[in-house]
Amino acid sequence: MIFKSYLTKHCLAAAIVASLLQGAVTAAPVFAETVAKSDETIAQETVSSQKPAISKEQTTAQELLQGEATPGTDNTAAQPDVTQTGTAESGQTVATSSDATPAGTADATVAGSDQPVGIDHSAESKPIVNEFLKEGEGIPGTEVPYQSETSLTRKEWREVDQLDKDMRILQREREAFFKNRAKEKEEKEKAFAKAFADRQEYSIVFDPDDFTKKTMNANGETVTFRAYEHLVYAKKPYDAESQMLSVYIPEAYFNGGTINGFTAETAPVFMPNGVGGYMPGLIVEPQEESRHGGANSALYALSNGYVVVSPAIRGRSLKHRNGYETGKAPALIVDYKAAIRFVRKNRKEGRIPAGDTEKIIVSGTSAGGALAALAGATGNAVEYEPYLKEIGAAKGRDDVFAVMAYCPITNLENADMAYEWMFHTADAYYNNMQSRRKKPDGGGAAPADEVKDRPLNAPAEAKTGTAITPEQKEISSELKENFSEYLNSLNLRDSLGNRLNLAPDGDGLFREYIESLYVASAQEAIDTGETITKTPWLHIQDNRVVKMDLPSYVRTVKRLKGVPAFDAFDMSSGENNEFGTYDIASKHFTRYALEHSAFVTAPKLEEEEEAAKERAEKLRKAPTVVEKRRLQKANLLEQMEKDKLDLSQYMADWQVIRMMNPMHFIGRENVQTAPNWRIRHGALDRDTALAIPAILALKLKNNGKAVDFKVPWGYGHDGDYDLPDLFAWTDRVAKIKDRADAILLAEKEKEKEAKEAAANKDENENNKAQSFKSKLRSLNEPAIEPAIEMSNEMTNETKEANSEAPQSSI
């Protein structure tokens, strides 16, 4: 008995030790495995261990689900997440898989208790558990219960498999849909190209012998010049009549003369455009009379010694006889650049007899001012290259030296917001038939209710106003609030470095800056002798303008345009027409107008984003794989229904919108923005808000450009009203460049002369030394030759020392 008892105790001890060892061996790998694996993997293994036996046809769905938890496995194609699908411009479907681990296991808990019940402890489903773990030390990872998980029945697995198959079929259908849409677009483009395949090809080589000599009177001064007229500036124009230019050169330059200090080599090249309202721009020919009296800008420039090059430019209303539109954006800036390249090419090749193409000055008013600003901001930008190649423009640079922009209607995708920020307090607008424009030839009598003396192609102005409706007031308020966000994103600074921002209510340093521009304009008028004391929106004390009242200004000058001012909901504005395409007359160019369009019900971005978040949240909380698949299929079907709406039929291409806005190019790498700018916006101008040219001027200044920006008193939406001042400015910036170039040239000449003098000195010294040595050798003394060799060595050492010594710079 004693032996048996002793043996039993020893066996029991051995068993206990073995059990401890077994627990130590099995527990460590289990916990290490738990750390290495993700929660998704653990949960998936739990489901896999407890799902019922399935038939062969269920294998596909089972493998798909197991693959979700396997690192490095890509199941995106089989299990698309349509919560955030999007369609690229090419029609490709963008989808990401976000499947989580199927929720639910066979484990459950007793209500009110933390103890799991019904857990399978069989060795087939999990490793042996260390039974000697103390309470609180944890449980092996494979035993962690996921209370939200439930096992799938055979019927549910079949449904998952079927849903996956359905979604794969739907994805293929969606891809086919976009391929068909892309094919239709490609066929339209081919038809357009075919319609113009046989368009005439022109030479863009300038003929210096094909000219007419003309003489005109410029404000009492006789001006004789040579006119090279109606030269096509692109090899393959879509409309030759609208893609030609004229060159005017003062006759004095052909006789070696000078005008205003300029010669044939140094004369600036003045390139005015005749664009207005984004309509086709005519060649600005020299004229003795203009709308402001006296010579127009072209003749004034000739009298000041400038070479004048004026291009005709395609505009929004241009339609070919085959029915296609040929003047939509970005046609006008492409043409302007092509004309600039034509001048540079032919001047460089010696065909154009005069003009300094490093001093090209562009000028325009209203939409023409916007065009001048665009040409100045986008020098050599690559975005325009395909369009220039398409019309056969000359290769080369298209950057310019200076810009003169009168009241530029620019920054169009943000112009509506700026207009409401400034004019939201108005109760009526005075635009008479917003979509009507004056004819380019000036023909046709103006209605009796229309204000006369408006610029060419400008919106007609009525004498009596149209009341703004409550709905328009609400729209105005929304746009006004949006402007603050846009303005603050620009991070503009004044001359003192202060950030010009706005609060959500529209007040802030930027508003004070805008008001200061009006104050400065009024003060300059007082200082020059004008009487403005009865201006109701100004506070004047002792001939000093103290401040201005913006709401009072709006009541006094009156709001011109409706709500919104540019991107009309019915696409009736000239700007809508400008952003059309070769087969669609007009389009929206802001998301806000698209969402409020009279022609299409477009989803609002904010609502779309909110709906996407809700769908994602539903997927995240889906209790089972089956429910998740159902949601994914429903989302995919919903997206396919949305795909049927082709918003590109109503909304302009974003790339084209950017190409029409100089703000996107200023300060950008590899773009040569003009260094000199003169911008004017009349104090009474209501065609666009003062904020728009002010933003342009500030961004240019903040990027180191020289900007002369003013608000001339007493002028509305107009241009070329101050030609003496304009050409005083152009003379100054051009002659500053000439002086700078002369100084640089003189420095280079000095450098060259110094190098030549040093080379000559070395040569002379070497000649003298050789002559002296020859005389020594003629003495026939034995000691002479060693002395000469020593002299050569000393000379070489001296030269090396001199070359290594630091050179002084002056």
Side-chain angles (χ1 to χ4, degrees):
M1 288 292 296
I2 295 174
F3 176 75
K4 287 182 179 180
S5 174
Y6 179 79
L7 181 61
T8 303
K9 289 179 180 179
H10 276 278
C11 289
L12 181 61
I16 292 172
V17 171
S19 177
L20 286 171
L21 289 173
Q22 184 185 39
V25 171
T26 57
V30 170
F31 287 112
E33 182 182 30
T34 304
V35 174
K37 292 183 180 181
S38 66
D39 290 345
E40 286 187 348
T41 306
I42 295 168
Q44 190 61 53
E45 288 174 349
T46 305
V47 174
S48 299
S49 67
Q50 298 185 30
K51 66 185 178 188
I54 57 177
S55 61
K56 185 176 181 180
E57 60 268 18
Q58 293 173 277
T59 304
T60 304
Q62 180 181 355
E63 290 175 349
L64 286 170
L65 288 174
Q66 289 175 339
E68 289 174 1
T70 307
T73 303
D74 183 8
N75 291 306
T76 305
Q79 304 167 38
D81 180 2
V82 297
T83 57
Q84 296 184 22
T85 54
T87 305
E89 187 174 348
S90 62
Q92 295 298 317
T93 302
V94 180
T96 56
S97 178
S98 62
D99 288 357
T101 305
T105 67
D107 298 339
T109 56
V110 178
S113 172
D114 292 333
Q115 297 300 321
V117 296
I119 298 178
D120 183 5
H121 289 284
S122 66
E124 291 79 13
S125 63
K126 60 180 66 63
I128 298 173
V129 178
N130 182 0
E131 299 174 1
F132 293 89
L133 284 173
K134 294 180 180 178
E135 186 177 356
E137 288 185 347
I139 358 177
T142 51
E143 281 197 352
V144 177
Y146 286 82
Q147 298 178 16
S148 62
E149 293 185 356
T150 59
S151 60
L152 299 179
T153 66
R154 183 174 302 173
K155 180 179 179 182
E156 288 172 329
W157 282 114
R158 286 200 186 100
E159 184 177 356
V160 168
D161 191 22
Q162 186 59 49
L163 287 168
D164 285 335
K165 290 178 181 177
D166 291 346
M167 284 191 287
R168 285 195 293 272
I169 292 170
L170 290 173
Q171 284 285 22
R172 286 195 290 270
E173 290 177 1
R174 191 171 186 228
E175 289 171 8
F177 172 81
F178 283 116
K179 284 181 181 178
N180 289 334
R181 178 178 286 177
K183 186 177 180 181
E184 289 174 4
K185 182 180 179 182
E186 184 180 353
E187 288 174 353
K188 285 183 179 181
E189 291 174 351
K190 285 181 179 178
F192 175 80
K194 185 178 179 181
F196 290 96
D198 60 347
R199 65 186 190 270
Q200 184 176 346
E201 189 164 334
Y202 293 80
S203 169
I204 55 173
V205 175
F206 183 88
D207 183 358
D209 298 323
D210 185 12
F211 66 89
T212 303
K213 190 179 290 188
K214 297 184 178 183
T215 300
M216 290 186 175
N217 185 295
N219 305 324
E221 179 185 349
T222 300
V223 179
T224 302
F225 57 91
R226 294 186 184 185
Y228 305 81
E229 297 181 297
H230 307 117
L231 312 174
V232 177
Y233 53 74
K235 289 181 181 178
K236 300 188 72 175
Y238 281 103
D239 189 300
E241 292 292 322
S242 298
Q243 293 176 282
M244 56 176 53
L245 55 75
S246 293
V247 179
Y248 307 99
I249 303 175
E251 181 64 23
Y253 293 150
F254 295 92
N255 305 314
T258 62
I259 303 175
N260 188 29
F262 297 121
T263 66
E265 296 300 319
T266 64
V269 179
F270 181 60
M271 294 188 69
N273 73 74
V275 172
Y278 289 97
M279 297 287 278
L282 304 178
I283 292 173
V284 180
E285 299 178 351
Q287 294 178 358
E288 295 180 349
E289 292 295 329
S290 67
R291 56 183 273 115
H292 296 289
N296 71 347
S297 63
L299 185 56
Y300 201 104
L302 285 168
S303 70
N304 276 265
Y306 290 62
V307 171
V308 176
V309 181
S310 180
I313 288 174
R314 288 175 293 165
R316 60 185 175 83
S317 64
L318 199 63
K319 182 177 285 191
H320 195 270
R321 60 180 178 274
N322 60 22
Y324 282 111
E325 309 264 0
T326 58
K328 304 301 186 183
L332 79 171
I333 180 59
V334 171
D335 286 356
Y336 215 6
K337 286 176 174 286
I340 293 167
R341 290 186 176 194
F342 175 92
V343 174
R344 270 215 172 90
K345 166 187 166 63
N346 284 285
R347 178 59 176 148
K348 182 179 181 180
E349 294 173 355
R351 296 188 180 91
I352 295 179
D356 182 358
T357 55
E358 294 305 309
K359 296 199 295 283
I360 294 176
I361 301 165
V362 291
S363 176
T365 298
S366 190
L371 176 57
L374 196 55
T378 62
N380 310 315
V382 296
E383 287 90 334
Y384 305 92
E385 201 62 42
Y387 298 89
L388 289 160
K389 185 177 180 180
E390 186 181 10
I391 64 171
K395 294 180 180 179
R397 291 165 45 208
D398 51 56
D399 56 294
V400 301
F401 171 67
V403 176
M404 177 58 242
Y406 287 100
C407 53
I409 302 289
T410 187
N411 198 352
L412 293 175
E413 68 265 37
N414 300 296
D416 282 327
M417 298 186 296
Y419 203 86
E420 299 313 319
W421 173 76
M422 187 155 183
F423 291 100
H424 70 280
T425 56
D427 295 320
Y429 62 91
Y430 288 76
N431 187 4
N432 184 18
M433 298 172 61
Q434 184 169 331
S435 60
R436 194 187 72 78
R437 295 290 184 271
K438 290 186 178 180
K439 296 179 181 178
D441 60 4
D449 189 39
E450 184 179 309
V451 175
K452 299 179 178 60
D453 197 32
R454 294 276 292 155
L456 187 67
N457 295 320
E461 181 179 354
K463 294 179 181 177
T464 56
T466 301
I468 294 175
T469 66
E471 182 184 3
Q472 289 174 324
K473 279 284 188 184
E474 185 177 344
I475 291 167
S476 176
S477 296
E478 289 179 3
L479 288 168
K480 167 182 169 282
E481 290 175 9
N482 292 343
F483 178 68
S484 295
E485 183 178 352
Y486 165 68
L487 185 280
N488 293 339
S489 72
L490 298 175
N491 194 29
L492 300 173
R493 307 275 171 169
D494 64 12
S495 58
L496 300 176
N498 299 312
R499 187 175 180 215
L500 301 175
N501 53 11
L502 288 173
D505 63 359
D507 286 335
L509 287 179
F510 182 76
R511 174 169 174 162
E512 293 179 15
Y513 170 73
I514 292 297
E515 291 174 347
S516 74
L517 294 172
Y518 285 112
V519 168
S521 174
Q523 189 60 57
E524 186 174 348
I526 292 174
D527 294 342
T528 54
E530 292 192 45
T531 303
I532 62 172
T533 53
K534 293 184 179 180
T535 306
W537 47 276
L538 289 176
H539 296 268
I540 303 172
Q541 293 179 356
D542 300 326
N543 276 343
R544 303 303 300 173
V545 182
V546 179
K547 65 176 182 176
M548 68 93 68
D549 184 336
L550 198 55
S552 179
Y553 169 86
V554 173
R555 287 193 299 272
T556 304
V557 302
K558 298 181 174 59
R559 173 183 179 133
L560 176 66
K561 297 185 176 182
V563 182
F566 298 95
D567 194 350
F569 296 162
D570 62 356
M571 296 194 208
S572 63
S573 77
E575 289 75 20
N576 289 125
N577 194 225
E578 167 65 9
F579 280 106
T581 56
Y582 60 82
D583 60 342
I584 299 175
S586 300
K587 288 188 179 184
H588 292 296
F589 50 91
T590 66
R591 181 73 196 193
Y592 187 89
L594 178 68
E595 292 174 357
H596 294 79
S597 177
F599 297 103
V600 63
T601 303
K604 294 187 177 181
L605 280 179
E606 291 182 0
E607 294 176 0
E608 284 286 284
E609 291 171 359
E610 191 62 34
K613 289 179 182 178
E614 290 178 6
R615 288 194 296 269
E617 186 64 15
K618 284 182 180 179
L619 275 175
R620 190 182 68 80
K621 293 182 177 180
T624 65
V625 176
V626 177
E627 184 61 28
K628 175 171 284 191
R629 289 296 190 277
R630 289 171 182 165
L631 287 171
Q632 287 177 323
K633 182 179 178 181
N635 291 342
L636 181 55
L637 287 169
E638 182 182 350
Q639 184 60 48
M640 291 176 70
E641 191 64 29
K642 291 178 181 178
D643 292 341
K644 296 177 182 178
L645 178 61
D646 185 5
L647 292 179
S648 68
Q649 301 295 306
Y650 308 94
M651 181 73 181
D653 183 83
W654 177 236
Q655 176 69 6
V656 173
I657 296 171
R658 288 177 62 87
M659 290 169 67
M660 294 295 290
N661 188 348
M663 295 291 291
H664 295 298
F665 296 87
I666 299 167
R668 208 183 82 182
E669 191 176 356
N670 298 324
V671 174
Q672 284 69 51
T673 297
N676 300 289
W677 293 71
R678 186 176 189 265
I679 304 172
R680 294 293 183 269
H681 180 94
L684 303 179
D685 193 342
R686 297 94 18 90
D687 286 61
T688 191
L690 174 57
I692 290 298
I695 286 172
L696 174 63
L698 285 167
K699 184 158 188 179
L700 287 163
K701 286 181 181 179
N702 291 171
N703 280 273
K705 309 305 177 185
V707 183
D708 179 353
F709 177 46
K710 286 186 179 180
V711 180
W713 183 259
Y715 288 100
H717 194 68
D718 206 352
D720 287 356
Y721 42 72
D722 60 348
L723 293 182
D725 292 339
L726 165 61
F727 284 99
W729 175 77
T730 56
D731 283 352
R732 181 172 59 82
V733 296
K735 289 175 180 178
I736 287 174
K737 184 180 187 305
D738 288 344
R739 287 196 294 273
D741 289 346
I743 291 170
L744 289 173
L745 183 62
E747 289 294 327
K748 287 182 180 179
E749 287 296 328
K750 284 181 182 178
E751 244 180 70
K752 184 179 178 182
E753 290 173 1
K755 287 180 180 179
E756 289 176 353
N760 291 335
K761 183 180 179 182
D762 289 343
E763 187 176 355
N764 291 336
E765 288 179 355
N766 186 53
N767 291 337
K768 288 178 181 179
Q770 292 299 328
S771 176
F772 179 70
K773 290 171 186 177
S774 298
K775 290 179 180 179
L776 288 176
R777 286 192 176 97
S778 66
L779 298 175
N780 292 322
E781 291 293 333
I784 291 298
E785 201 60 39
I788 290 174
E789 289 299 323
M790 186 178 294
S791 173
N792 288 337
E793 290 175 6
M794 292 177 66
T795 301
N796 291 334
E797 289 175 2
T798 302
K799 285 182 178 179
E800 289 176 4
N802 289 338
S803 64
E804 293 174 0
Q807 301 296 314
S808 62
S809 59
I810 299 177

